[in-house]
Amino acid sequence: MDHQMIGANDFKARCSRAKEIMYEKDVDALCLTPSSDMLYLTGFRTEPSERILLCILPRSDEPRFIVPKLYQEQVERETWINDVRVWSEESKLIIQLRNHLKELELFSGKIAISDRLWTRHYRFLQETAPKVRFTFASEVVNQIRMLKSRKEIYLMEEAARFAEGALEATLSDCIQGKKECELAAKLEYQMRVRGSEGVPFETIVASGPNSSVPHYSNGRRRVKVGDPLVLDLGAKFGHYCSDLTRTAIIGYAKPKINKIYELVHQAYQKAVETVRPGVTAAAVDQAARGVIIEGGHGEQFIHRTGHGIGLDVHESPYVHEKEQTGLEIGMTFSIEPGIYLPGQFGVRIEDVVVVTKNGCRTLTKYPTEMAVFGIRA
Ligand SMILES: [Mn+2]
């Protein structure tokens, strides 16, 4: 299984590709700060913090990490990059950083920085290098990250399996009377014991009227007979995310829930059928949206049909009405139409798909048809 893990050669290939794009876009260097872009190109992952930690990847020079002392050993172990410099607390960081930039001939020019950089750090970088023009790292890295390799898809499939297994284990139990937070805890536990490295987002367990809020988290409401129950969960493996939503019906389905479920299910199927290389992301959104509009609930489909997924749970390509990105083999994104009736209930069905030669395949195999669960025999 280890050979499936992303290794030094993969990181180097990604960096070479990034350099090609830097030439095309006239970007002199990438200045990576803790983010999935840093992880993608260097193999090192950490949360952003108040202390500056960065990796400069010049387009025509060797990459260099500049880190606080406490990260030195970790960065040396976890990345393929050999040049790891430590900045000292003794003298002014701005001077030290200027010296690095001068040495790398990057004191002016165009540098791409993380889209998710803290404003405080951005201001600091501007002050450090006032002549530099800053641009978004996404303009360089997104087009590479969008196309997943077989190894990446393998990791995403494992992460999908963890979520799927957890969903199955949770729904096979009696859930009537259980609190949403208890079910969320169980789902997360079940993912962890299967090998998940953590959750990429707060696990959603939204019962009854809570289900009309798409990004509700979970709370202490107890699940009742007649409730729809939206379960939206994700696992991580090799830092890659999964994302899966099902709406379970507890005990029996009221006719209105039945009707809405059918509509969402048709929209889901229509969108999945539409996916193939060359089709735009917009067309996939329109396919799902068209079904829901025709069913008279267009106003209640209050979000996009889906989002790209990989190291970040939301990344390019976004599946929305105006996204003209043409789909390509190896792209991975969610398809997750939903209908939300405020104060009443909501229904959402979500799977991640990978674009294949002739269409797409879902990373999860859990049935999407309406199913009734959870009451005591
Ligand atoms: Mn999602």
Side-chain angles (χ1 to χ4, degrees), residues 34-47:
S35 60
S36 49
D37 286 335
M38 176 178 270
L39 173 59
Y40 185 76
L41 294 171
T42 74
F44 180 67
R45 199 209 77 88
T46 189
E47 294 297 323

Side-chain angles (χ1 to χ4, degrees), residues 61-126:
D61 210 334
E62 291 305 307
R64 174 183 298 185
F65 262 100
I66 302 162
V67 306
K69 184 80 186 156
L70 83 159
Y71 282 105
Q72 185 182 12
E73 186 182 353
Q74 197 181 353
V75 170
E76 284 170 351
R77 273 194 209 177
E78 294 175 14
T79 77
W80 62 275
I81 292 165
N82 302 317
D83 190 358
V84 180
R85 310 291 178 94
V86 172
W87 59 264
S88 114
E89 305 264 10
E90 309 294 295
S91 67
K92 276 195 149 186
L93 176 58
I94 196 162
I95 310 282
Q96 299 176 56
L97 208 51
R98 267 181 198 156
N99 289 337
H100 283 294
L101 291 175
K102 281 176 188 161
E103 222 178 286
L104 296 165
E105 291 172 14
L106 292 170
F107 202 54
S108 61
K110 197 166 156 194
I111 297 184
I113 52 173
S114 170
D115 296 39
R116 301 182 190 188
L117 181 67
W118 287 4
T119 313
R120 176 173 288 278
H121 291 331
Y122 177 48
R123 288 280 292 274
F124 177 75
L125 290 175
Q126 281 181 315

Side-chain angles (χ1 to χ4, degrees), residues 201 215 232-233 242-245 305-309 313-314 334-336 348 350-352:
F201 57 90
H215 279 175
D232 186 345
L233 60 154
S242 64
D243 195 359
L244 165 69
T245 307
T305 294
H307 52 85
I309 180 169
V313 71
H314 285 209
S334 72
I335 288 184
E336 49 178 312
R348 178 168 68 256
E350 172 183 35
D351 278 316
V352 170

